[in-house]
Amino acid sequence: MKRTQQIMLLCMALTALPLSAAAQKLTVSVQQAADHAVENNRQSRNASLAVQEAKAKQWEAIANGLPQAEATADYTNFLGASVEAFGNTIEFNPTTNLAFRVTQLVFSGNYYVGLRMAKIARSMAQTGKTKSDLELRIDVANAYYLALVAVQSRDFATQNLANLQSIYETTKLSAQVGVIEQTDLDQLTVQVNSMANAVRSAERQIELAHNMLRLQMGVSATTELELTDNLEAIIAHTNVEAATERLFEVEKNIDYRLMTEQETLAQQQIRLQQAAALPTLAAYYSYTEKLKKPAIDFSPSQMVGLNLTVPIFSSGLRCARVKQARIQYETTLNQKELLTDQLRIQEKQARFNLRNATDQYLTQQQNLEVSQRVFNNINLKFQQGLVSGIDLTTAANNHVNAQNSYVMAVLQLLQAGNDLEKLYFTTEQ
């Protein structure tokens, strides 16, 4: 009996673990959600690791030109071998050597070019991290806006359901006394059921949007999110005129900066291939301690020397590699020009999209107000028996459509602002 109680307690403890995880709650604004994502999103972490890897590779390139020291030990046994020399038999004794060697690169064209390339690669990794964080912030903001829009849609649907249920109850009493036909009541029943389904669908859309936001923020699926920002406040702080009138400097765009660094790297690649034709000079010092010496030993224990390697003839190999590097460099220049044209076109299109989204938002905002007044007027006439249930249903559907168009216009406005802001983002920000 005691063992059974212990098992039950253990099961209760294990069951409580997910509940404690589910109790975790985050209250975040758009900015806080983006900051949290930059620190916890796995994609952002990988970008940080790429920066650390680039730093390590840069140090690797530097270390190749610094002193290198190594120690070796060996033991040789000649298995009793001997040689006859001048009438004497000389046996080969076992030998044991301890050696220490230091080398220092004096000159190498590849080394100096490699240092510059490693520095450029590190800068590119850092710029890539900045770009990754930017894109992540944009994705988080869009997911945040989508969640807010889903909540707004749910609130609209909930309010519509409450209104329809109130109308249904009033109409039901009128139908019982014969003031309103049963057909009108049936139409309202269909409308109420459809709106109830819309509320449930909106709830699922909220959870879906929150799951997307959780994924972007790098939190667990059981984390509860409370969003502190609201659509009205965000739109109120959106200065469309300032955004569309802003000067676009393509040279400061982060994608352009990355392409410029790629151009510099391609240029250094040419110099690297050209440097392969230069000589390489290295100095060394070695010391050998013989613990067991052979019978005859004339080798000194210490040596200092220089090692010079001069490339002479490669059958056109180096020339072909230089030519390939030049082609890659010209290709990069063409890609940079193409990117410049694309960025300018994207910026113009983003301005157009933002202005268009703003006009659409203002139009849908007016349509929403008008549809609300029309619905209220038709509802009042319906209660007085002046219009049919079909008219009321049509007005209700028009109002719902206006609400849906409004929330979509809000989402498009906020996303258009993000798209334009992304083009203006620079590495100095």
Side-chain angles (χ1 to χ4, degrees):
M1 183 69 179
K2 184 177 181 180
R3 182 175 180 82
T4 302
Q5 292 177 348
Q6 292 175 345
I7 295 175
M8 292 178 62
L9 290 174
L10 178 61
C11 293
M12 292 174 63
L14 293 176
T15 306
L17 290 177
L19 294 178
S20 62
Q24 183 180 2
K25 181 177 179 179
L26 285 178
T27 303
V28 292
S29 63
V30 176
Q31 182 65 39
Q32 291 170 339
D35 293 340
H36 190 281
V38 170
E39 294 182 3
N40 297 277
N41 184 276
R42 289 177 176 82
Q43 180 181 352
S44 180
R45 290 180 180 178
N46 288 339
S48 299
L49 291 175
V51 174
Q52 297 177 23
E53 182 183 11
K55 291 180 180 179
K57 288 183 177 179
Q58 184 181 15
W59 177 247
E60 177 187 4
I62 295 173
N64 285 329
L66 299 180
Q68 309 290 320
E70 61 180 4
T72 59
D74 67 78
Y75 169 79
T76 304
N77 192 312
F78 298 96
L79 301 177
S82 61
V83 64
E84 296 290 337
F86 305 104
N88 296 319
T89 301
I90 301 176
E91 296 183 354
F92 291 98
N93 298 327
T95 61
T96 301
N97 299 320
L98 293 178
F100 177 76
R101 182 182 179 92
V102 178
T103 59
Q104 171 63 57
L105 183 66
V106 178
F107 175 80
S108 173
N110 287 345
Y111 173 72
Y112 296 112
V113 177
L115 286 181
R116 290 193 290 268
M117 294 181 67
K119 183 178 180 180
I120 296 171
R122 177 179 175 178
S123 177
M124 290 182 65
Q126 185 61 56
T127 306
K129 172 66 167 64
T130 304
K131 179 183 177 181
S132 177
D133 290 346
L134 162 65
E135 293 176 343
L136 181 59
R137 288 181 179 276
I138 295 296
D139 291 340
V140 169
N142 287 334
Y144 197 103
Y145 298 154
L146 185 61
L148 293 180
V149 166
V151 172
Q152 181 67 74
S153 298
R154 189 273 314 274
D155 293 343
F156 278 151
T158 302
Q159 183 62 44
N160 292 337
L161 178 60
N163 293 337
L164 289 174
Q165 286 176 336
S166 176
I167 296 173
Y168 174 82
E169 295 299 331
T170 302
T171 305
K172 183 178 179 180
L173 296 177
S174 300
Q176 290 176 352
V177 297
V179 176
I180 296 179
E181 296 182 0
Q182 183 64 33
T183 302
D184 294 333
L185 183 63
D186 293 339
Q187 290 176 346
L188 280 175
T189 302
V190 173
Q191 196 76 9
V192 169
N193 293 336
S194 298
M195 192 54 61
N197 287 334
V199 172
R200 290 190 291 269
S201 177
E203 292 288 352
R204 289 189 289 268
Q205 290 296 325
I206 292 175
E207 183 60 25
L208 179 62
H210 278 213
N211 285 336
M212 185 181 301
L213 185 56
R214 291 186 185 101
L215 180 63
Q216 297 291 348
M217 291 178 59
V219 299
S220 66
T222 57
T223 302
E224 181 183 353
L225 296 179
E226 180 180 349
L227 310 184
T228 59
D229 287 339
N230 58 78
L231 291 175
E232 291 77 10
I234 295 174
I235 294 175
H237 287 84
T238 302
N239 192 336
V240 178
E241 291 298 327
T244 54
E245 297 299 328
R246 187 174 177 180
L247 178 63
F248 179 55
E249 299 177 85
V250 66
E251 295 79 9
K252 293 184 178 181
N253 179 271
I254 193 166
D255 288 318
Y256 186 90
R257 291 288 299 272
L258 272 173
M259 183 58 69
T260 300
E261 292 173 336
Q262 183 65 39
E263 174 193 352
T264 306
L265 189 64
Q267 192 175 32
Q268 293 299 322
Q269 187 67 34
I270 298 175
R271 296 177 180 175
L272 180 65
Q273 298 302 330
Q274 291 173 337
L278 298 177
T280 300
L281 179 63
Y284 68 90
Y285 164 80
S286 67
Y287 174 80
T288 303
E289 179 67 28
K290 301 177 177 61
L291 302 181
K292 288 187 177 182
K293 299 182 180 181
I296 300 177
D297 183 17
F298 298 103
S299 60
S301 60
Q302 298 187 70
M303 288 187 294
V304 176
L306 295 174
N307 187 355
L308 178 64
T309 302
V310 181
I312 298 177
F313 183 68
S314 65
S315 299
L317 176 63
R318 289 189 295 271
C319 182
R321 289 178 176 174
V322 171
K323 185 176 180 180
Q324 293 177 52
R326 290 187 184 278
I327 294 174
Q328 289 296 327
Y329 176 66
E330 292 178 5
T331 302
T332 304
L333 290 179
N334 291 333
Q335 292 174 342
K336 184 179 179 180
E337 293 178 1
L338 176 60
L339 177 64
T340 302
D341 295 337
Q342 289 175 339
L343 289 175
R344 295 189 185 280
I345 293 175
Q346 289 176 12
E347 191 266 344
K348 290 182 179 180
Q349 184 64 42
R351 287 175 185 265
F352 171 80
N353 291 342
L354 181 57
R355 292 192 183 99
N356 187 60
T358 303
D359 294 340
Q360 187 71 12
Y361 164 74
L362 295 175
T363 300
Q364 295 303 331
Q365 189 178 42
Q366 294 177 356
N367 290 344
L368 179 62
E369 296 173 357
V370 171
S371 67
Q372 181 68 60
R373 292 198 300 268
V374 170
F375 174 75
N376 293 337
N377 187 31
I378 295 297
N379 180 32
L380 180 61
K381 291 182 178 180
F382 176 75
Q383 300 299 329
Q384 298 173 353
L386 300 178
V387 297
S388 65
I390 296 179
D391 296 326
L392 180 63
T393 301
T394 301
N397 289 334
N398 290 338
H399 185 51
V400 171
N401 292 333
Q403 290 174 337
N404 293 334
S405 298
Y406 170 75
V407 295
M408 290 305 300
V410 170
L411 182 61
Q412 290 174 1
L413 173 62
L414 297 177
Q415 290 178 344
N418 277 343
D419 292 340
L420 185 59
E421 183 64 26
K422 182 178 179 180
L423 290 172
Y424 289 140
F425 191 90
T426 67
T427 53
E428 286 80 12
Q429 290 179 303

